[in-house]
Amino acid sequence: EAQVTQNPRYLITVTGKKLTVTCSQNMNHEYMSWYRQDPGLGLRQIYYSMNVEVTDKGDVPEGYKVSRKEKRNFPLILESPSPNQTSLYFCASSTPGRSTGELFFGEGSRLTVL
Amino acid sequence: KQEVTQIPAALSVPEGENLVLNCSFTDSAIYNLQWFRQDPGKGLTSLLLIQSSQREQTSGRLNASLDKSSGRSTLYIAASQPGDSATYLCAPDSGGYQKVTFGTGTKLQVIP
């Protein structure tokens, strides 16, 4: 089954404790992206990756890091989480052309930073 | 910068009714527009992707239309069912690799 898998789905952590949210897709998609969703603000892009070892900032990259060492995986790293990073996070992937292409989303990871 | 508006923010209809969800965007230079469904606590599921060269796209009871020049798209749901209850988001793609902009969605409730 074609899917984008995120882990963990739910996480409560404390300020400053490094954490990683994993994302894996089995569709051989070149493009992967991380979004956060906050009430009233919609989805905002954090980082994206066009292919292995190619990453770039989205609209709200502060406080986040990413890496793309393998085509299927695109982890999101919070080196020192803060309460304003409490949010619902989504990973997405696609096969891009001139545009991003049809996006496929993971189930989401709800993060609470105390 | 692309701005996307979805009106209404919430909608409640009785089962069986036909309904239209609206999406407007400020930059008409788009490659395509995607409609998504989001169930509570779940990810986004792609419903329809309509290319800029198309005016309509249909899937089952869903029909999406696109009027690029006026910056509007509509999602028509025929014979609504309680299972259609969800939040619907539109996302125009202005090209490049970070140019998908999401609306904040319309929360639909279909009452049995």
Side-chain angles (χ1 to χ4, degrees):
Chain A
E1 180 189 356
Q3 59 186 7
V4 179
T5 304
Q6 296 180 226
N7 281 296
R9 295 286 318 281
Y10 302 92
L11 180 62
I12 300 174
T13 190
V14 296
T15 300
K17 186 176 181 181
K18 181 180 178 180
L19 67 93
T20 299
V21 186
T22 63
C23 174
S24 180
Q25 51 92 6
N26 62 1
M27 294 170 278
N28 201 36
H29 284 165
E30 291 85 4
Y31 180 87
M32 297 185 75
S33 181
W34 277 102
Y35 297 88
R36 60 179 288 175
Q37 186 178 37
D38 301 289
L41 296 177
L43 274 90
R44 294 178 293 168
Q45 190 178 48
I46 303 170
Y47 270 95
Y48 65 97
S49 170
M50 281 308 303
N51 215 321
V52 175
E53 303 292 359
V54 181
T55 63
D56 209 344
K57 296 177 181 179
D59 296 318
V60 288
E62 295 77 20
Y64 304 94
K65 287 176 57 178
V66 293
S67 68
R68 187 95 179 269
K69 292 182 168 51
E70 302 167 285
K71 195 173 186 179
R72 64 183 293 127
N73 295 324
F74 190 44
L76 179 70
I77 303 158
L78 286 74
E79 293 270 1
S80 183
S82 62
N84 64 12
Q85 293 178 298
T86 293
S87 188
L88 180 58
Y89 291 87
F90 289 103
C91 180
S93 70
S94 71
T95 296
R98 290 183 302 163
S99 65
T100 301
E102 184 178 8
L103 283 167
F104 294 85
F105 279 81
E107 292 277 280
S109 297
R110 185 169 292 282
L111 171 65
T112 301
V113 183
L114 302 175
Chain B
K1 180 186 173 185
Q2 181 75 277
E3 293 181 5
V4 182
T5 303
Q6 291 188 248
I7 294 173
L11 181 63
S12 184
V13 300
E15 181 177 2
E17 191 161 300
N18 302 325
L19 58 100
V20 174
L21 306 181
N22 296 297
C23 170
S24 61
F25 46 95
T26 54
D27 182 358
S28 62
I30 63 169
Y31 281 89
N32 60 58
L33 185 144
Q34 200 166 355
W35 280 94
F36 294 91
R37 167 188 174 133
Q38 185 176 20
D39 293 285
K42 300 279 191 178
L44 281 70
T45 301
S46 178
L47 297 172
L48 291 163
L49 186 150
I50 182 164
Q51 301 289 351
S52 60
S53 57
Q54 297 176 304
R55 293 193 66 85
E56 285 189 3
Q57 187 73 263
T58 298
S59 176
R61 294 183 294 109
L62 305 179
N63 176 278
S65 69
L66 176 64
D67 184 343
K68 254 184 59 170
S69 59
S70 67
R72 294 178 186 274
S73 178
T74 61
L75 180 67
Y76 174 83
I77 303 177
S80 58
Q81 303 171 356
D84 294 330
S85 298
T87 297
Y88 292 81
L89 297 94
C90 69
D93 188 342
S94 303
Y97 306 119
Q98 60 166 127
K99 297 300 186 186
V100 178
T101 306
F102 290 84
T104 51
T106 294
K107 186 173 183 179
L108 173 66
Q109 183 183 26
V110 181
I111 303 166

